[in-house]
Amino acid sequence: MMATVSKSNSKALQLIQQYAHRLRFNTPADYDPILAAIGNARIVMIGEASHGSHEFYLHRAEITKRLIEEKGFTIVACEADWPPAYRVNRWIKKLSSTNIKSANDALKEFTRFPSWMWRNTVVVDFITWLRKYNENLGERKKKVGFFGIDLYSLQASREEVLKYLEKNEPSLLEEARKNYGCFEKYSDEQEYGYCAGTKLSCGCEKEAIEVLKKMLEHHAKTISEEKTNDIESDESFYAMENAKIVREAEKYYRHMFEGGEITWNIRDTHMCDCLQDLLKHNGPDTKAIIW
């Protein structure tokens, strides 16, 4: 039996044929209409059409390279956790005193499912390209950064805040350790969310907020001091964002078992806030690509 095409489907097919733009590998000119449409936009949201499609990942990386080279974008912000992405950021900028040996090594802290969203060959090649690109920039030019703007890393972010305070602001460490100790009775974020969300325990909202207040004050003080260099400012910013994640992740997991749209709204709002923080921290001329 011959299939028939409805009028609505026929119209949709005509529109696709009229406006769809073919992208081929190793054909840079195919991206020209996309870059022309982007124009002078400050934020470009490429996103994630699927979790794991090699073809999409590769085209996304190639478009991003051109945006960096031709339009001066300096932030790649991903649907990824903040701490493991910042390890990549340190590697591509050669910021870390830690001996990160390779691109694969830089990505090794992406262990939460689905780890293959970031630990794949396309991302390995892309961050290797970013490192070389940054190496070739003049000293006065701003290097490209790689960041995660998601909020799932409650435990990892909590640990990163404490590590930072131990090294840079010991006077705040004891109080922060005491407040964050509230989370230690739970084996993972899901157990915390279940216990706090169902009122089996009182939760750690107050404690997370208290640490965040201190970290906000500390960061404001750090960036206001003339002696603070860029690396110190960046590390303070990194720690402050981790404290924000602990607070937002606490809220996310506490509401997770309620169902409905609230957790999606918490997560999306956090991503928007994190992006705004990145733009503010990196200056008014900063432009960002969202993966």
Side-chain angles (χ1 to χ4, degrees), residues 2-16:
M2 183 178 293
T4 58
V5 179
S6 68
K7 288 184 178 180
S8 60
N9 286 340
S10 177
K11 180 64 175 177
L13 181 60
Q14 290 175 9
L15 289 171
I16 291 171

Side-chain angles (χ1 to χ4, degrees), residues 12-266:
L13 181 60
Q14 290 175 9
L15 289 171
I16 291 171
Q17 291 172 335
Q18 182 178 355
Y19 292 106
H21 178 71
R22 182 182 182 185
L23 296 179
R24 295 164 293 182
F25 294 123
N26 301 315
T27 312
D30 282 358
Y31 303 124
D32 290 350
I34 298 174
L35 268 73
I38 288 169
N40 295 319
R42 189 184 186 195
I43 299 172
V44 174
M45 303 181 72
I46 301 178
E48 180 96 334
S50 67
H51 288 338
S53 297
H54 172 79
E55 294 81 4
F56 179 84
Y57 280 20
L58 192 56
H59 282 304
R60 180 176 64 179
E62 293 303 312
I63 293 168
T64 300
K65 290 177 186 178
R66 288 195 58 182
L67 289 172
I68 291 168
E69 290 181 315
E70 299 175 29
K71 292 183 178 289
F73 282 77
T74 55
I75 287 177
V76 180
C78 307
E79 183 191 349
D81 288 333
W82 180 256
Y86 208 84
R87 177 180 171 88
V88 175
N89 182 62
R90 289 188 175 117
W91 183 71
I92 64 174
K93 293 180 178 178
K94 294 188 174 181
L95 293 178
S96 179
S97 58
T98 305
N99 184 22
I100 303 175
K101 299 176 182 178
S102 64
N104 278 313
D105 190 20
L107 291 163
K108 75 175 186 179
E109 291 185 2
F110 283 107
T111 56
R112 184 178 60 79
F113 177 84
S115 60
W116 37 260
M117 273 182 66
W118 306 111
R119 294 176 70 178
N120 59 68
T121 56
V122 175
V123 175
V124 166
D125 291 343
F126 176 69
I127 65 172
T128 300
W129 180 89
L130 280 178
R131 182 176 165 96
K132 291 179 180 178
Y133 178 84
N134 282 338
E135 285 176 350
N136 293 328
L137 290 176
E139 290 186 5
R140 294 190 176 184
K141 290 192 176 181
K142 193 167 188 65
K143 294 182 178 181
V144 180
F146 186 92
F147 305 96
I149 57 174
D150 219 329
L151 55 52
Y152 290 127
S153 59
L154 192 157
Q155 300 291 9
S157 289
R158 179 174 65 89
E159 292 170 5
E160 289 300 301
V161 171
L162 296 177
K163 285 180 186 177
Y164 173 84
L165 292 177
E166 185 173 20
K167 181 179 179 181
N168 298 281
E169 194 60 68
S171 64
L172 299 178
L173 178 61
E174 184 177 352
E175 182 182 356
R177 187 174 283 154
K178 180 180 178 181
N179 280 315
Y180 278 170
C182 176
F183 292 101
E184 292 180 359
K185 67 184 79 170
Y186 308 99
S187 60
D188 56 26
E189 293 90 343
Q190 284 73 28
E191 182 182 340
Y192 171 77
Y194 178 77
C195 292
T198 58
K199 311 301 182 185
L200 289 175
S201 68
C202 58
C204 304
E205 179 181 16
K206 178 182 176 182
E207 290 81 357
I209 291 173
E210 286 301 313
V211 177
L212 175 57
K213 287 179 181 178
K214 296 294 184 181
M215 295 306 296
L216 289 170
E217 292 170 359
H218 169 74
H219 182 63
K221 178 183 176 183
T222 298
I223 61 176
S224 69
E225 295 176 348
E226 292 184 6
K227 64 179 181 179
T228 300
N229 60 41
D230 288 344
I231 293 177
E232 291 169 336
S233 175
D234 286 347
E235 290 300 313
S236 173
F237 175 74
Y238 169 67
M240 179 192 70
E241 288 299 314
N242 273 309
K244 286 187 177 183
I245 289 166
V246 174
R247 192 275 178 272
E248 292 303 311
E250 183 280 326
K251 181 165 56 174
Y252 173 88
Y253 287 110
R254 180 161 40 86
H255 288 286
M256 185 170 63
F257 290 92
E258 295 178 7
E261 71 281 354
I262 185 169
T263 50
W264 290 108
N265 290 337
I266 292 170

